[in-house]
Amino acid sequence: MDKDQAKQKAIEAVEAAREELVEISRDIHEHPELAMKETRAAGLIADKLEARGFAVERGAWGMETAFKARWGEGPVTVAYLCEYDALPEIGHACGHNLIATTGLGGAYGLKAAVSPSDVTVLVLGSPAEEDIGGKAIMLKRGAFEGVDVALMAHPAAIDIAAPPMYGVESCEVVYKGQAVHASIAPEAGINALDALVTAYQAIAQLRQHMRRDARIHGIITYGGSAANVVPDRAEAKFLVRALQPQYLEELKARVERCFLAGAQASGAQVEVKWAHYPYLPMNNNSSLADAYKENALAVGRSFPDIAVDSTGSSDQGNVSWALPAIHPTFNVGAFAINHTEAFTEVAATDSAHQSMIEVGQALAMTGVDVVLNAELRERAKAEFSGRG
Ligand SMILES: [Zn+2]
Ligand SMILES: [Zn+2]
């Protein structure tokens, strides 16, 4: 089939699904669910995919809120990723309701445009992007075996086809000291909170002397139970991020030394638990990202010419080192920064949903390119394996 005709079909199919996609986005947005607890969202999307003829496996890869949906028997496998987890207290401040529906839109559009003998369309429901990294677990459990490309898009302040994204290591640190009456016998206590505050200050000082393409941030999650008791326990969570994996390792070691400094100074014991799955930096596939950009421009998106030197992280980074993958960002119709209440508000507006339709169309068209343009497919693969 002619590629332009197929793309036109994809565009029309996503537009035709507008009402359904908006309804799903609003439903997920109105019922925010935390990482690994996204029962309603995963169930809703799986129902819709089934209604559209996809074969759906719920609770895939041993995760209750993951799913795998498949349509077609073709030799080229295009996977669309759907995220749907929210953040504590501020709800869908990362707009993952829109990730779910742009992924769905992409899959609906590609299904309408290409014969099932040419393509296998997968929709992979990936839980817990904001916490433990659902895609890292899916990857380990074989979710991406036989997949040619992994496509998704993330709402943000601006449209970027191939945004840089940090790798991230996260940890929980626990200090254990000795509780005692804080006035009667403070000399007999070991103050776990002091240990943590010393470490926190050491990390704050370290921040002054690290490269610009890295970040460290954390919160104290427990610091004692009563002001008149010397805290025998203090807990914190920290994230260490860097664009380059080697520098990330270096920073991680320096942060560990800050934790030890707190223990040394106070006499408390320290335990540092690093997360099972680090998030890798995004290895954007530029062949696919260029195709996405061209398609997005064709449906009315615009890409401001701004050098981006500040970013976040995604478990799509892990996927991007296993197969050709993209993670473009898109504006939601207002300038807002992720993880703020303002972003939560704009993530379900009419303008956000207009962006969602256009981005869903661009993702569908990129799927069409992958299926009908063998040269692009080869280029994406060659680039990925370092032969490009
Ligand atoms: Zn986020
Ligand atoms: Zn996000």
Side-chain angles (χ1 to χ4, degrees):
M1 189 199 290
D2 176 67
K3 187 151 62 81
D4 291 335
Q5 283 176 355
K7 285 189 182 180
Q8 194 52 41
K9 277 193 179 177
I11 290 171
E12 285 164 15
V14 180
E15 181 58 48
R18 179 186 286 265
E19 211 174 301
E20 177 184 325
L21 295 172
V22 169
E23 185 195 308
I24 297 168
S25 163
R26 289 225 167 95
D27 190 294
I28 296 173
H29 188 268
E30 280 165 21
H31 303 93
E33 298 169 303
L34 295 181
M36 299 305 269
K37 295 182 179 142
E38 315 94 324
T39 323
R40 181 187 176 106
L44 172 65
I45 302 166
D47 289 347
K48 299 291 181 185
L49 283 161
E50 252 167 16
R52 284 184 175 259
F54 283 78
V56 181
E57 181 191 339
R58 296 164 198 250
W61 314 292
M63 285 183 284
E64 205 183 309
T65 55
F67 66 81
K68 175 182 184 174
R70 168 192 286 266
W71 179 86
E73 305 294 332
V76 181
T77 301
V78 177
Y80 290 97
L81 276 299
C82 290
E83 294 174 11
Y84 30 72
D85 60 327
L87 289 155
E89 295 182 18
I90 47 174
H92 274 289
C94 213
H96 291 188
N97 54 306
L98 299 167
I99 298 181
T101 44
T102 49
L104 269 185
Y108 289 178
L110 181 56
K111 176 176 180 275
V114 177
S115 153
S117 59
D118 289 334
V119 70
T120 301
V121 182
L122 295 182
V123 184
L124 307 182
S126 69
E129 193 284 326
E130 294 287 1
D131 201 352
I132 58 175
K135 292 184 203 64
I137 299 171
M138 288 162 61
L139 193 60
K140 186 119 195 262
R141 298 183 182 169
F144 295 90
E145 272 164 30
V147 176
D148 288 287
V149 300
L151 310 179
M152 64 172 289
H154 197 303
I158 56 171
D159 284 60
I160 311 172
M165 302 204 83
Y166 300 121
V168 59
E169 293 262 8
S170 60
C171 72
E172 290 179 16
V173 57
V174 178
Y175 287 96
K176 288 179 189 160
Q178 177 65 52
V180 70
H181 195 294
S183 176
I184 295 174
E187 68 280 4
I190 297 174
N191 193 320
L193 179 60
D194 280 354
L196 179 50
V197 169
T198 299
Y200 191 94
Q201 296 289 12
I203 290 167
Q205 288 160 11
L206 165 61
R207 267 203 288 252
Q208 178 72 16
H209 299 285
M210 49 187 236
R211 281 167 33 171
R212 282 159 169 250
D213 59 353
R215 297 276 188 273
I216 306 175
H217 40 96
I219 55 166
I220 294 177
T221 51
Y222 182 75
S225 55
N228 58 3
V229 178
V230 170
D232 65 349
R233 188 176 180 88
E235 300 173 17
K237 286 184 179 176
F238 278 87
L239 299 178
V240 184
R241 308 189 198 233
L243 279 186
Q244 294 189 352
Q246 201 185 333
Y247 190 58
L248 182 57
E249 282 305 303
E250 215 176 287
L251 270 186
K252 188 180 159 185
R254 291 175 77 179
V255 166
E256 279 203 335
R257 290 208 295 276
C258 295
F259 291 143
L260 291 176
Q264 287 263 313
S266 65
Q269 309 244 303
V270 65
E271 191 189 344
V272 185
K273 267 192 258 165
W274 292 95
H276 210 56
Y277 295 103
Y279 288 28
L280 300 183
M282 187 66 203
N283 177 29
N284 288 297
N285 189 283
S286 60
S287 306
L288 291 178
D290 289 350
Y292 170 82
K293 187 173 181 177
E294 200 183 311
N295 291 320
L297 287 168
V299 292
R301 305 303 302 165
S302 60
F303 293 79
D305 195 12
I306 300 171
V308 179
D309 65 352
S310 192
T311 183
S313 307
S314 170
D315 54 6
Q316 178 77 337
N318 299 47
V319 175
S320 73
W321 292 96
L323 66 153
I326 54 168
H327 184 278
T329 61
F330 61 94
N331 171 269
V332 284
F335 187 86
I337 303 293
N338 301 62
H339 293 201
T340 61
E341 282 177 16
F343 202 94
T344 309
E345 266 176 45
V346 300
T349 53
D350 289 348
S351 60
H353 289 139
Q354 181 56 33
S355 295
M356 168 192 84
I357 293 297
E358 292 165 4
V359 170
Q361 288 169 332
L363 287 173
M365 294 156 82
T366 308
V368 170
D369 280 326
V370 169
V371 176
L372 298 184
N373 183 349
E375 187 272 325
L376 169 68
R377 221 158 53 230
E378 286 313 309
R379 197 152 31 90
K381 281 186 185 167
E383 172 193 333
F384 174 76
S385 57
R387 289 181 286 112

